[in-house]
Amino acid sequence: MTAVIVWCTVPDVPQARVLATTLVKEGLAACVHLFPVGESIYTWEGKVEKSAESLLMIKSRQQLYLRLQERLRELHPYHVPEILAVPVSAGLPEYLSWLTLATGGEDAG
């Protein structure tokens, strides 16, 4: 099992809660940590923009990533949402076992 952390920004806390709850209920994420308010500075259509956004740190498995990405795209209000996956190279074995079980996988240990 390869765990992944998926980062995704959303416009506000209520939207973050909806996405997080949906992903966990559907078994696409074991846990989603919400960072409630931050500021993003980025270029969009040739202009520098600033937005207050919330950040989701989604804990999942690599095997679920494509389904997770597709579900985020379906639910997300942005035309081009930030969805970035980073593989987990190491972690507490008990936590990784829980993550696997919480997302419908079989515990290898």
Side-chain angles (χ1 to χ4, degrees), residues 23-24 27-32 58-61 95 98-100 102-103:
L23 295 174
V24 170
L28 295 171
C31 174
V32 180
I58 304 160
K59 293 99 172 206
S60 189
R61 293 183 290 129
Y95 182 85
W98 168 79
L99 187 152
T100 299
T103 55

Side-chain angles (χ1 to χ4, degrees), residues 4-8 56-58 65 68 72 83-86:
V4 291
I5 303 295
V6 179
W7 300 94
C8 183
L56 301 174
M57 182 173 72
I58 304 160
Y65 176 73
L68 174 74
L72 279 171
I83 303 172
L84 300 171
V86 179

Side-chain angles (χ1 to χ4, degrees), residues 21-81:
T21 302
T22 300
L23 295 174
V24 170
K25 280 184 176 180
E26 293 180 0
L28 295 171
C31 174
V32 180
H33 185 90
L34 294 116
F35 296 87
V37 180
E39 184 174 61
S40 293
I41 300 172
Y42 55 95
T43 58
W44 183 252
E45 297 180 346
K47 292 173 50 181
V48 174
E49 303 282 347
K50 289 188 227 180
S51 297
E53 293 183 302
S54 296
L55 176 65
L56 301 174
M57 182 173 72
I58 304 160
K59 293 99 172 206
S60 189
R61 293 183 290 129
Q62 181 66 46
Q63 296 87 332
L64 297 174
Y65 176 73
L66 291 178
R67 288 177 31 211
L68 174 74
Q69 176 184 270
E70 185 58 34
R71 192 64 173 127
L72 279 171
R73 289 191 69 135
E74 289 171 1
L75 298 169
H76 208 288
Y78 294 166
H79 177 66
V80 180

